[in-house]
Amino acid sequence: MSELEAEYRLEYFEEEGFHRKQCPVTDVYFWTRDPDRETCGEPPADDYSFIDNPGFDEEYTLEEMREEFLSFFEEHGHERIEPYPVAANRWRDDVLLTQASVYDFQPLVTSGQTPPPANPLCISQPCIRMQDIDNVGKTGRHTMAFEMMAHHAFNAREEAGDQYAYSGEVYWKDETVELCDQFFEHMGADLEEITYIEDPWVGGGNAGPAFEVLYRGAELATLVFMSMEQDDEGEYEMKDGNRYSPMDTYIVDTGYGLERWTWVSQGTPTVYEAVYPDMIEFLKENAGISLSEEEEELVHRAAKLSGYLDIDEIDDLTAARAEVASELDVDSDELTELLHPLETIYAIADHCRTLAYMFGDEIVPSNVGTGYLARMVLRRTKRLVDDVGVDAPLDELVDMQAKRLGYENRDTIRDIVRTEERKYRETLERGRRKVEALAAEYAEKEEAIPVEELIELYDSHGIQPEMVEEIAADAGADVDVPDNFYSLVAERHGGGDASTASTAREERLADLPETEKLYYDDQERTEFEAVVLDVIEREEGYDVVLDQTMFYPEGGGQPADHGTLSTDDTTVQVTDVQIRDGVVLHRTDGNPGKGEFVRGQLDVERRRRLMRHHTATHIIGYAARQVLGEHVRQAGAQKGTERSRLDVRHYSRITREEVKQIELVANDLVMQNRAVKQNWPDRHEAEAEHGFDLYQAGSRRDRTSGRSPSTTTCRPAAGRTSAGPATSARSRSSRPSRSKTALSGSSSPPATPPSRRPSAPRTRSTTPRTCSTSRPRTSRRPPSGSSPSGRSAARRSTG
RNA sequence: GGGCCCGUAGCUCAGCGGUAGAGCACCUCCUUUGCAAGGAGGACGCCCUGGGUUCAAAUCCCAGCGGGUCCA
């Protein structure tokens, strides 16, 4: 880490007369203007000194603080960017939720493959961090939902030329720290009190020097200078034990916690009171919590002390509570009794905001992915609400937050919450009946309910062992819950060890170059010529690898093309096509011969049918969105030549009437006979125009080319535009999603099968792409060509 | 994305190779002035769908659809 020391010696620090010191409490190195300062400013070295002593000139609400930050940076040369959804898995597949503003620009912008929407830019990005869920409400400062205000600058080294989507330096460390200082000054902070702690940052394969910016005991900003990538030969060893070397791109990644800044401006005992004053008030009243002046005072003092409980020592929370109690000279249990309802209320407010973000950004509760997380948060919230005796309906509470956050799909949000609440209630009832039956059975046998049953109840039916104990007690049955219950459950899941032993066939594939995919270039072509690079014998038939192919492999629920490969001597049937790491495998009934020159011929009729079904599924998806709401997304699809199926995510069962309505809208669209176009815009342009629906369909972009495996899209531009704002990124301003498409008076259109849709001329606005048969897999370079601005990054996932 | 559980009468569920059962609800009658009343009788099932195994499938196997749940 000390290797980075030079990285922190900024000219700006020099000019401003900063001193570098080491904290005697935490051992970290930090920079300060105050020559007499000894400690770094971070708890436990320093206390929260802003409580009852606000750190800025004025008090700010959440909304005011956000605006203050954004307009300040706008005035200092940054372009304001609309926030991205909290569901980060809508544009990247390595994470579920947005946890930082930089998530918006990973991995394509940070790697230089595609340009940022603006440079430099500022943003206030809603984020959700589930990892602190147990701390929420208790520590006075943890929230699950928060906004990360940030300014970012994307730089590329001059030597790198123009091989990245941006070039040159916008600004780097000195300017970043200066901007940070200026913003503090603008807010009326005392610059003497600010400390910049050296804290190298590592994450997601990247690293760089970073500062934590402390003011009055609160960490108010983190300034990260992302400039290195993991490299075993690298010259820097970072705290994760890996080695890193400098990258060609280097990025200013800052984070200013909106809630913390608001809190410090108000100096309230907890962050929640500063951020959700109205809701806290409402909840207190509703739950009938009213404190005497004396109690109020006590709570106030206790909150100040619990403000710096160590976040990492959750186990010690009760011990810490006891310590606080003794410091206040009150009974520990009494204090807990007093604080517990308040903590619950804080958590409810925070969780409701989390839910508002999730449902507002069109996450639909389910058993997978972000939907599962949303479900867990909702159930937890429901338990808290019942626990503390708030009798307002949950959908109303979530709506309070949704309203404040400015979402316009609030009716849908409420509908989702009510539906989920009902399902949860049903699950609990079902569980109760099941446990009662089981308890009666074992009570009769005079045996304890075995652990196996408990695991089954929890794993398959969601019934906590505590609940089993409770119900069983009433039925007179015994239960023994082992201490390691949850690890027993985990064990049950852990069984499958994926065989990592790569087969000889896979090794052979690894040596082959990626197949050039001609099907992206011209969908009308049905014949091509290629060289047989390898032929791998299978149990039945062969896998033929070519240098290039028109054969479209199975993927995204679409079956593979069929056809033939012919040499002068022989013709083999292609009956299946698969893709492995960019290598296309043609399953054939015969061996065309390695090194042979072959002509490929597609089964044209089959291809046409598949294309029509492909387009048709998009039409259905669009229609479903019109009828059911903007939150509707494709969950999966199975296309065929005779029939196709589209699965969509929705929060309740689709009724017969809704299906009918979807058919009407879809058929109407078909009858309009629109053109299907294909183009390859820059990523942010595509997002701006179409929103994050771009990435739905669950189809992964082709890993190596960065392009989508599909080539058509049936999002008729006019249809989208007329349907209101298209971008989900702006769903905060989108219309209520329940509206149905009004069909003009025409009597129900004839049920034209989508496959009869006349094949519209397909145009491409992109310039021809130069081909290279062996594009290096790890290259960050965009493919060379006349459109170097990251065309490859435009991931038009429509499969 | 993976694991597991479940689709049987209107509802809740049992049955788990040999022609479909219980409780509640429903209908009829009797009894009874009650808090989920008591008695007698009765009606109600493509046992989710499609394949397979079998002399025989609600039951076993495979696939699909639907619902639930846990985990990442």
Side-chain angles (χ1 to χ4, degrees), chain A residues 524-664:
Chain A
E524 297 299 293
R525 259 177 77 190
T526 56
E527 290 179 343
F528 66 100
E529 292 170 337
V531 175
V532 177
L533 298 182
D534 204 353
V535 177
I536 300 160
E537 210 167 328
R538 295 173 55 81
E539 273 172 37
E540 277 177 54
Y542 302 84
D543 275 344
V544 178
V545 178
L546 307 174
D547 64 335
Q548 56 179 14
T549 187
M550 284 299 302
F551 280 92
Y552 191 92
E554 180 179 350
Q558 179 161 325
D561 282 331
H562 289 177
T564 56
L565 297 175
S566 310
T567 63
D568 289 341
D569 307 323
T570 178
T571 292
V572 300
Q573 297 289 329
V574 177
T575 53
D576 190 17
V577 184
Q578 297 289 324
I579 186 163
R580 296 277 179 274
D581 291 326
V583 179
V584 177
L585 304 172
H586 304 74
R587 302 262 154 93
T588 62
D589 60 350
N591 186 348
K594 187 172 174 176
E596 285 293 322
F597 191 74
V598 294
R599 282 183 313 284
Q601 169 69 53
L602 295 190
D603 176 339
V604 181
E605 180 54 27
R606 181 183 168 86
R607 159 65 80 89
R608 288 254 158 80
R609 282 168 173 253
L610 291 175
M611 281 172 71
R612 285 175 191 140
H613 278 259
H614 182 119
T615 304
T617 51
H618 283 291
I619 292 177
I620 303 287
Y622 170 82
R625 206 148 41 245
Q626 294 300 299
V627 174
L628 302 171
E630 284 294 320
H631 60 277
V632 168
R633 242 162 280 291
Q634 181 175 332
Q638 185 57 58
K639 288 146 216 164
T641 53
E642 301 300 324
R643 50 183 290 179
S644 295
R645 193 190 74 238
L646 179 75
D647 305 332
V648 298
R649 277 190 220 295
H650 185 51
Y651 52 86
S652 68
R653 207 192 169 98
I654 298 172
T655 65
R656 205 48 240 171
E657 290 70 42
E658 286 167 332
V659 170
K660 218 167 173 180
Q661 191 67 24
I662 291 168
E663 279 177 12
L664 280 176

Side-chain angles (χ1 to χ4, degrees), chain A residues 39 112 133 151 185 200 213-214 313 515 529 540 572 637 782:
Chain A
T39 53
I133 192 163
H151 52 108
E185 193 167 28
V213 190
L214 274 293
E313 291 170 29
T515 312
E529 292 170 337
E540 277 177 54
V572 300

Side-chain angles (χ1 to χ4, degrees), chain A residues 101-116:
Chain A
S101 59
V102 74
Y103 276 40
D104 301 351
F105 312 109
Q106 289 170 320
L108 294 168
V109 179
T110 49
S111 64
Q113 284 183 56
T114 194

